[in-house]
Amino acid sequence: MKKLIILFSIVLSCASVMSQQEWAPTGSRWYYNKPSSSDNTYVLIESVRDSVIQGKDVRILEVKLNGINLVSLEYVYQEEESLFYYNKNDEEFHLLYNFAANKDDVVVVYENEFQPTKAFFSSNNTLPSFKYKITDVDDVVINEKTIKR
């Protein structure tokens, strides 16, 4: 499990937002080294468009290897301080992150076993759970805007 770097923890490491700011505007991009890869393979995550799923206005994120090979489309929406992602496998939304979380808080995405989407880069059909601890919270200034991360 330690070698498994999950898309959403990757996205969250750079996804900065405060409740009054738009999360992942169309055209936003994040670049990362591919999890468990020893070569120069990278992952590009790009916010490409909006859609509606189960009455929720979602951002569609393309996840590509080396900016070319589409791995999956991921669907995320913001509700106040929280981000939710849609897992196509169970057809449900799950809390992905709460920007009001504090250092040492634990975010529980899945308490029990679940089937990850392709963007998890998991070779397993199921994973036992998905939760993580907030290790740090701070502010950063980007283009003269103070953003919580």
Side-chain angles (χ1 to χ4, degrees), residues 102 104-108 131-134:
N102 296 305
D104 297 325
D105 286 352
V106 174
V107 176
V108 177
K131 47 189 150 187
Y132 58 91
K133 184 176 182 177
I134 306 297

Side-chain angles (χ1 to χ4, degrees), residues 11-137:
V11 170
L12 292 175
S13 69
C14 247
S16 302
V17 69
M18 292 181 78
S19 61
Q20 70 271 21
Q21 296 172 320
E22 180 182 18
W23 180 81
T26 300
S28 298
R29 292 180 170 189
W30 301 270
Y31 296 87
Y32 300 93
N33 293 332
K34 182 178 178 285
S36 304
S37 177
S38 59
D39 59 13
N40 289 328
T41 302
Y42 69 92
V43 176
L44 166 64
I45 302 169
E46 182 175 10
S47 176
V48 294
R49 63 185 174 281
D50 296 331
S51 188
V52 176
I53 298 176
Q54 298 177 357
K56 305 289 185 188
D57 294 325
V58 300
R59 273 292 136 76
I60 300 176
L61 305 177
E62 285 185 349
V63 179
K64 295 180 178 179
L65 286 178
N66 295 325
I68 300 169
N69 302 319
L70 184 66
V71 172
S72 70
L73 298 175
E74 299 298 323
Y75 309 89
V76 179
Y77 82 93
Q78 180 178 354
E79 185 174 293
E80 298 180 9
E81 296 277 335
S82 296
L83 292 180
F84 296 85
Y85 97 98
Y86 181 75
N87 186 323
K88 296 169 275 197
N89 297 317
D90 64 15
E91 299 181 339
E92 292 184 22
F93 284 97
H94 300 274
L95 175 66
L96 180 59
Y97 192 74
N98 182 336
F99 287 97
N102 296 305
K103 183 178 179 178
D104 297 325
D105 286 352
V106 174
V107 176
V108 177
V109 181
Y110 289 95
E111 184 72 44
N112 300 308
E113 185 175 88
F114 72 103
Q115 184 179 1
T117 64
K118 290 181 180 179
F120 277 68
F121 295 103
S122 172
S123 58
N124 299 327
N125 288 333
T126 60
L127 294 174
S129 65
F130 177 16
K131 47 189 150 187
Y132 58 91
K133 184 176 182 177
I134 306 297
T135 59
D136 198 14
V137 176

